[in-house]
Structures are given as structure tokens and as C-alpha cells.
Amino acid sequence: QTLMWVPDSFFSRWIFIDRDPSLFATILNFLRTKELYPRSISVHMLMHEAEFYGITPLVRKLQLCDELDRSSCGNVLFNGYLPPPVYPAKRRNRHSVAGSQFMAGRVAPAERAPVRRSNTMPPNLGNSGILGRASTEERTPGGQLSDTGMVRIICGHHNWIAVAYAQFVVCYRVKESTGWQQVFTSPRLDWVIDRVALNAKVMAGSLGDNDKMVAVASGTEIILWAICPDGNGNEIGVFSLNVPVEALFFVGNQLIATSHTGKVGVWNAVTKHWQNQDVVPISSYDTAGSFLILGCNNGSIYYIDVQKFPLRMKDNDLLVTELYRDPTEDAITALSVYLTPKTSDSGNWIEIAYGTSSGTVRVIVQHPETVGSGPQLFQTFSVHRSPVTKIMLSEKHLISVCADNNHVRTWTVTRFRGMISTQPGSTPLTSFKILSLDDVDGHGGCSAGTEIGPYGERDDQQVFIQRVVPDTDKLYVRLSSNGKRVCEVRSVDGTSITAFMVHECEGSSRIGSRPRRYLFSGHGNGSIQMWDLTTAMEIAGKVDIRGETLSTDKTLLSTGVTTEDALVRNIYKCSLPANAPVSPSPRLCPGMPQLAAHLLTNSDAHATVKWRFIPLNV
């Protein structure tokens, strides 16, 4: 009678119960007394059990408890909400202008430099090769995606952001007086967007008010629009790289597309021409002023001055110049260029940090007085055993990330008159992991919008964004210098976070106003939510900046979540493919049961991994 006083519940049909006994004790007490004594049990876990048993009165009580610390208006860091946009009309088909205009006469690609095949790794351009395949696999026979409404990619430039959905892109801009406004929506495309690039403002640009442009790429094709002052968009053209586009970005007014296969495409804003160039297979890139810096699989770093396009040499190739060659000729898998402030009439120091497929991190420098002799090797670190996937050289830190579960090493950089000095030393400042159990294929290419970072200006503190599991409404913001958690943000409407990006928007026109840093999160329902990271950084700065007084729990620094129990709750019911980026090491975090790591790394290719932890009295 105690079990069955609620009609049509679990207990009216079953006697045998295979559930957690500690949670069941609270359930049973509620059925006996109709009162709730949750003790120290998590409200979320208890609600899950009550929903399983079908005890509606208890579910409603627990929902009220959950609402005490949750609001659709968010916490103090919540800064804004952009609802899902209206689905646009379909774009009329147009033929590619680049394939026929510039590539018809080319039968075979230009001869490439020999590539050293040892110690190579997949390209470090956002898993774009995998993304292209995933986007093709998600298409239904009718050409539509299984989920076209979620946010796939967010990118920002000055006071603008561009949000890419499955088959269209939307641009927003912000003004202090009017807030965020939708200013452009592209037509609906026939193919799935894998990449997006935005150009909202160029100093001393030659295009005037027409310098605002947005571009999207899918597979080998690129569409470029110019956004007029009234918000209407004019299609500039459709271009083809003839190979999958794996990075899309602007350098000034020039649109750049690259592929790991060894191709670079450039749209010149002055000549309005698209041009393709064959180079050595590319595994990383960075920009510095008007220069595009390429790290390649043969161990060389090349540079291209995009302002000189379409200048050609006598051999009919663009100016692609080798800047430096790695001593061991390992593939350059990550690249970061730092231009020091101009200290003399001769120019800047150029500092380049790069990582290789063997895990080596090197720093090279170029003196203004010795331009003709090329960069000189400054420092070498061999602390990573996996390929380096990200690297960042800033004013105060050198940050490297390797493929071992996003393992981060951070060194302190000291400078003399702005130029790199005797540091970084051989001992790193800190070592931690940005643990993430994301499916490497993402949501049909969505992992292009879930890069961990680091984000931020190079003269300021930078941050990593951590999403522990794919289907979650939580993000953790962590300092790149020491791994300290700045804050946790949670979706105000409970929807899963499918994309995120950190961007700094310009301040108001008032004297003394400063740019503010925001975290933009895109969601499964198509909405955009904004979070004030400037305030979060100020709050976190009140605690010891080295993180020594933040917490005695070392799990915080190694995983980003406060306790081991919190980590388990994050990965509860997480479905992972066999190719998830998890190290074979059984140590996911200190104290994590080895059984969990074994399940995670040795699951069958077609199996869904589900964990259930039951306390045992042994």
C-alpha cells in the first residue's frame, strides 16, 4: 500500500527494483510520510530517480527546489539573449566563378617541395577534414540535415558577430544605445556550412562603407557577401578552392582560405579576383599584419604577403617564401606569431613560437637589424610527448597544448624594452588539462565552433573555454596562465550548448571607456546567450591570481570542475564513440575509478558507453 498510493506509477506495475539504494531511501520516506527530507543528496539526482519512478508530486517539489538557484534571467554575468532567427528563403543557384575563371587552364598542381613523412599528424586546423566528412554523413537523402536549427559556429570582429547555422548565416552588431541588432541574414543554401569568416572594420580601408563582409565555406566552395549600411547583402561571388576548405579568415580586406592538402586561396579586395596557389601541405597557420604565416608538414615555415596579391613571379607562382626550417624537420603542427611594439626606425622584433608533431616547442626571433639572415632559434622545450595542437606566445606567457587530452604547459615570459629576454625558463609555470569528452566529429561539423582557445588579446590575460561533455548546458572559463577556474556559466533556458566563442567588443564613445570581453554561447534551439567575462575576470582577480588560495582540491586545476563527484555528474550518461579524443592512460583525473577509464577507452566501436555508480558496503 505504501508503494502504490500514487496511481499509475512504477510501483503499481513492478515489485523488483534495480536502482540506487541510497536515493531510494528518500523516495521511500516520501511515499510513507508525503514529506521530503533530501538530506545531502543532490536534487538533480533525486529528481532523475523520481522521474524514473513516475512520482509526479515529488518531481514537482524537486523542481521548485531546483528553481531556487536558477533563473531565466541568468546570474550577474548573464549579459543578453538573442532568440533564434527566422528561417530564410532559399538561395537561387549560381555557378562557381573561381573554378572556371582561374583554374580551367591548370591540368596538374604545381610541383611541391619534398615532404618528410615521418612524425606527421592530422592537420591542426580544427579537425576540418573530419568535419567535411561528418557534414556529408549527416545529410539525409533529401539533402537536409538531421538538425538544422542549432548554432554551429560563432565568430566575431569588432562590434559584430556572425552566427552560422546548418544552411545560413546571420550577422548582428551592437551599439550602446540600441543594443544587439540583427543586420544581415543570408539566403538558405543547398549545402552545409563548415566555416565562417567575418570582416566588420578595417582601418584606412579602400572600400569605405562596403568593407563589411561575411563568407561561408562548405567542402570546396566559398560564398562571399558584402553587407551594405542598410543591412542588405550583395553576393560578391562563389569561389572554389578545388579541395576541402579547412580554414577561412580575413587578413585586412583579403579573404583567405587554406587546406591541409597544400592549397591557399585569396580574394583580393582591390582587384576583386580570386586566386589559388599550391604550397607544401599545411598543418598550421597564423597571421601577422599583412603576412600569412604557414607551418607545413616538411618542417618549414613559409610566409606570404597578401597585400602583394595578385603579384606573380616569372615562374607564374605567387610570392611564397621560406622563413625558417625546423632542425629536425618535424611537421609544424601549431604556430603563434608575436609582433613586439616598434622600438626603432628599423621596425619590430618578430617572435614565433611553434610546436611540432613530435611534441617539441621552439621559439625563434627575428631582429630588425638582421633581417637578411633570417630568424634565429631562441629556445627549445621537449616537455610534450604528443603532437602539439595549439600554441600561443603573448606578452607575458608562452602556452602550449598537446594532443594528450588537451594537456597545457604554461611558461612565464620576461621582456626587456618589449623584446623577449632570458625567459621563458626551462621550468613551466604550471601544467593542467582542459578535459573534454567531445566527439571529434562534433555535430556534423559543429566542433569548428567549439575550440577551447586560448582566447583574448596577447597583451592581456587569456582564457580557455571548457565543455566537459557534448550534450551539456554548462561551460567552464579557465585562465590560460594557471588553469584556475574563472567562472561557470549555465544556459538560462536549459538548452544544450553547441558552439561558443570569446570576443572583445569596443567600448562606448565616452572618454575613458574600455573594450569589454564577452563569452558567446550558441545553443541547440538556435539562440545566442552572452556572458560578461570582464566582470568575471574582475571577480576572480580578487582571489590570489596564482590560484594558490582558490581551493585545496587539486582536481579543480586538473579538470576544471570543483570535485571528482562533479566530474562524474558531468559525464553521467555521456555517449562516446570509440574514436573520442581520450588518452589510453587510465588516469582521467586523480582518484577516478580505473573501470571508468577502461570503459571509456576500450568500448566497442558501435557501443554506447553508459556509467552507473552504485555505492557498495565493502
Side-chain angles (χ1 to χ4, degrees):
Q1 185 178 359
T2 299
L3 292 175
M4 294 188 290
W5 72 267
V6 178
D8 299 324
S9 71
F10 175 93
F11 304 109
S12 63
R13 297 183 298 273
W14 298 94
I15 300 300
F16 177 76
I17 305 168
D18 182 18
R19 301 295 289 182
D20 187 338
S22 61
L23 294 173
F24 184 72
T26 303
I27 298 284
L28 187 58
N29 284 333
F30 175 79
L31 293 173
R32 285 172 176 157
T33 65
K34 300 180 179 61
E35 295 182 356
L36 180 60
Y37 304 100
R39 297 178 299 179
S40 60
I41 295 176
S42 166
V43 172
H44 293 281
M45 296 177 66
L46 192 58
M47 188 187 305
H48 179 78
E49 291 296 290
E51 289 173 344
F52 172 82
Y53 292 124
I55 307 176
T56 304
L58 179 57
V59 172
R60 290 174 178 171
K61 291 178 181 289
L62 294 172
Q63 285 175 341
L64 291 175
C65 295
D66 186 45
E67 288 298 320
L68 290 175
D69 63 345
R70 186 185 182 96
S71 170
S72 62
C73 300
N75 57 21
V76 68
L77 299 180
F78 181 61
N79 191 260
Y81 184 94
L82 298 176
V86 177
Y87 207 60
K90 191 173 182 180
R91 170 184 174 271
R92 292 175 303 192
N93 290 329
R94 290 180 59 178
H95 297 291
S96 168
V97 301
S100 58
Q101 184 175 350
F102 294 103
M103 299 302 297
R106 180 168 290 182
V107 178
E111 185 177 350
R112 295 170 175 168
V115 179
R116 187 170 183 263
R117 295 298 180 183
S118 62
N119 295 327
T120 57
M121 66 167 289
N124 181 34
L125 296 176
N127 297 327
S128 45
I130 299 174
L131 301 183
R133 181 173 67 252
S135 62
T136 302
E137 291 171 350
E138 277 210 1
R139 289 188 182 93
T140 62
Q144 296 294 320
L145 281 181
S146 57
D147 185 0
T148 59
M150 72 177 188
V151 176
R152 294 168 59 84
I153 307 170
I154 312 172
C155 72
H157 192 230
H158 291 273
N159 284 355
W160 289 57
I161 62 170
V163 181
Y165 296 86
Q167 294 171 296
F168 64 98
V169 63
V170 181
C171 293
Y172 300 87
R173 70 179 171 197
V174 65
K175 292 183 179 180
E176 186 179 28
S177 58
T178 57
W180 286 94
Q181 292 182 317
Q182 182 176 330
V183 293
F184 170 74
T185 301
S186 76
R188 180 162 47 93
L189 307 176
D190 290 328
W191 31 260
V192 181
I193 296 174
D194 292 330
R195 292 291 181 270
V196 61
L198 174 66
N199 179 64
K201 184 177 180 180
V202 177
M203 297 300 180
S206 60
L207 300 179
D209 290 336
N210 295 320
D211 63 350
K212 297 172 176 59
M213 294 177 286
V214 63
V216 298
S218 176
T220 65
E221 301 295 307
I222 302 163
I223 297 185
L224 176 63
W225 291 277
I227 304 175
C228 303
D230 60 1
N232 293 322
N234 296 324
E235 187 175 303
I236 295 176
V238 184
F239 314 109
S240 177
L241 192 62
N242 294 333
V243 291
V245 176
E246 294 170 340
L248 190 68
F249 53 95
F250 283 93
V251 176
N253 275 333
Q254 330 297 326
L255 177 64
I256 312 292
T258 67
S259 173
H260 80 278
T261 59
K263 272 191 182 293
V264 177
V266 177
W267 180 81
N268 188 286
V270 177
T271 64
K272 306 295 191 298
H273 282 178
W274 173 265
Q275 201 166 332
N276 286 341
Q277 172 63 36
D278 288 292
V279 294
V280 177
I282 302 166
S283 48
S284 59
Y285 76 94
D286 197 9
T287 61
S290 64
F291 287 91
L292 172 62
I293 315 295
L294 301 174
C296 297
N297 279 5
N298 65 345
S300 290
I301 298 175
Y302 297 88
Y303 72 89
I304 301 174
D305 189 347
V306 297
Q307 283 188 344
K308 294 183 178 179
F309 277 63
L311 179 64
R312 291 179 178 271
M313 298 186 297
K314 293 180 181 180
D315 60 358
N316 211 32
D317 274 337
L318 298 173
L319 289 176
V320 180
T321 307
E322 184 179 75
L323 181 67
Y324 183 80
R325 182 177 287 266
D326 181 72
T328 58
E329 297 186 0
D330 288 333
I332 311 296
T333 54
L335 195 63
S336 177
V337 182
Y338 181 80
L339 292 178
T340 63
K342 196 168 185 178
T343 56
S344 67
D345 294 336
S346 55
N348 307 68
W349 271 41
I350 299 176
E351 303 168 0
I352 299 178
Y354 70 88
T356 70
S357 56
S358 62
T360 302
V361 174
R362 301 187 195 272
V363 179
I364 60 177
V365 296
Q366 170 76 68
H367 300 260
E369 299 81 5
T370 58
V371 175
S373 60
Q376 304 298 311
L377 182 59
F378 180 75
Q379 208 155 9
T380 299
F381 306 94
S382 302
V383 292
H384 290 293
R385 297 182 58 202
S386 300
V388 179
T389 57
K390 298 176 183 296
I391 199 162
M392 177 58 66
L393 179 59
S394 65
E395 182 182 10
K396 298 178 181 178
H397 298 104
L398 171 63
I399 305 159
S400 61
V401 185
C402 79
D404 177 19
N405 285 333
N406 292 329
H407 177 226
V408 182
R409 293 270 192 170
T410 301
W411 292 268
T412 299
V413 173
T414 59
R415 297 185 176 276
F416 178 71
R417 293 180 180 175
M419 298 174 288
I420 196 167
S421 185
T422 55
Q423 296 292 331
S426 58
T427 303
L429 174 66
T430 187
S431 172
F432 56 93
K433 286 186 177 181
I434 306 295
L435 181 65
S436 176
L437 304 183
D438 279 341
D439 181 348
V440 293
D441 285 353
H443 296 273
C446 192
S447 61
T450 54
E451 291 286 345
I452 64 172
Y455 293 96
E457 301 298 323
R458 302 201 184 200
D459 59 352
D460 198 0
Q461 180 73 262
Q462 296 178 312
V463 296
F464 285 106
I465 305 300
Q466 181 179 25
R467 186 179 68 167
V468 179
V469 294
D471 189 16
T472 181
D473 62 350
K474 290 183 182 180
L475 292 177
Y476 300 97
V477 181
R478 303 176 63 185
L479 292 180
S480 61
S481 59
N482 54 24
K484 185 186 78 169
R485 189 174 70 181
V486 176
C487 65
E488 168 192 316
V489 300
R490 184 179 179 186
S491 170
V492 295
D493 55 5
T495 54
S496 61
I497 297 174
T498 56
F500 51 80
M501 178 268 301
V502 174
H503 180 59
E504 195 171 82
C505 295
E506 296 174 348
S508 68
S509 57
R510 294 194 302 267
I511 297 176
S513 64
R514 299 185 59 187
R516 296 192 69 84
R517 194 186 308 190
Y518 299 97
L519 167 62
F520 295 86
S521 58
H523 297 256
N525 65 348
S527 67
I528 300 292
Q529 299 178 24
M530 290 164 276
W531 313 86
D532 185 356
L533 279 194
T534 297
T535 299
M537 299 284 281
E538 291 172 353
I539 295 173
K542 297 177 182 178
V543 188
D544 181 11
I545 192 62
R546 292 173 297 177
E548 294 176 355
T549 64
L550 179 65
S551 174
T552 57
D553 185 1
K554 299 301 181 183
T555 309
L556 169 66
L557 296 181
S558 62
T559 66
V561 289
T562 308
T563 63
E564 183 177 302
D565 291 339
L567 177 62
V568 172
R569 285 196 297 270
N570 267 275
I571 59 181
Y572 180 67
K573 285 193 171 181
C574 174
S575 298
L576 293 170
N579 61 347
V582 177
S583 167
S585 168
R587 299 185 305 275
L588 278 181
C589 70
M592 174 67 73
Q594 291 191 3
L595 172 62
H598 175 77
L599 289 173
L600 196 60
T601 56
N602 298 281
S603 58
D604 182 78
H606 302 289
T608 297
V609 181
K610 291 189 178 181
W611 300 357
R612 183 174 63 180
F613 293 88
I614 301 176
L616 302 176
N617 296 323
V618 291

